[in-house]
Amino acid sequence: MLSDNLKVLLASTQSFAIKSQNFHWNIEGSNFPQYHAFYDTLYSDVSGTIDQIAEYIRILGHYTPGSLSRYSELTIIQDQTKVPRAELMFAETLHDTNQMIELVVAMFDEATEERQQGIANFMAELQDLYGKKAWMIRSILKKERE
Ligand SMILES: [Fe+2]
């Protein structure tokens, strides 16, 4: 059901935002200023989508989950309690980003089928947002040519 998937998307977005902030605070390395700034922008871009996801659940006539325990039940994004090295942080964020893309692509199809064009449009925007972040992370992770 579209509203159930919106709940999964909401919980996953919350998890993604928390992890981005964790990495923003804890990343280390010689490119620290860029890495720190990258995760700051990632956090603010992703958390900027939360309210709209939640409101679509209400628009569809359901209550929006709003607790950490519900989010941890619903999320598809794995929690990170440690502080990985910078390269592993980026690899993990790329994996999470690809999971978000998979989810919103499936939800685009579901929203279209249910003739919820506004939600479909929003899913397309989210695909663009995460697609652009994935490109940036792949570029960060790429080894420079000698
Ligand atoms: Fe900060």
Side-chain angles (χ1 to χ4, degrees), residues 3-13 57 65 74-76 103:
S3 59
D4 288 333
N5 280 329
L6 280 166
K7 291 176 191 178
V8 170
L9 179 61
L10 175 65
S12 303
T13 307
I57 298 169
L74 291 164
T75 186
I76 60 164
L103 179 60

Side-chain angles (χ1 to χ4, degrees), residues 26-64:
N26 290 311
I27 200 162
E28 292 173 319
S30 53
N31 291 316
F32 172 78
Q34 290 98 313
Y35 292 169
H36 182 62
F38 173 83
Y39 274 111
D40 193 34
T41 306
L42 184 64
Y43 168 76
S44 79
D45 288 351
V46 167
S47 60
T49 71
I50 288 169
D51 190 56
Q52 202 175 347
I53 300 167
E55 291 184 357
Y56 270 128
I57 298 169
R58 297 293 297 131
I59 288 167
L60 293 179
H62 298 266
Y63 288 113
T64 294

Side-chain angles (χ1 to χ4, degrees), residues 21 24-25 36 40:
Q21 205 166 34
H24 165 69
W25 291 325
H36 182 62
D40 193 34

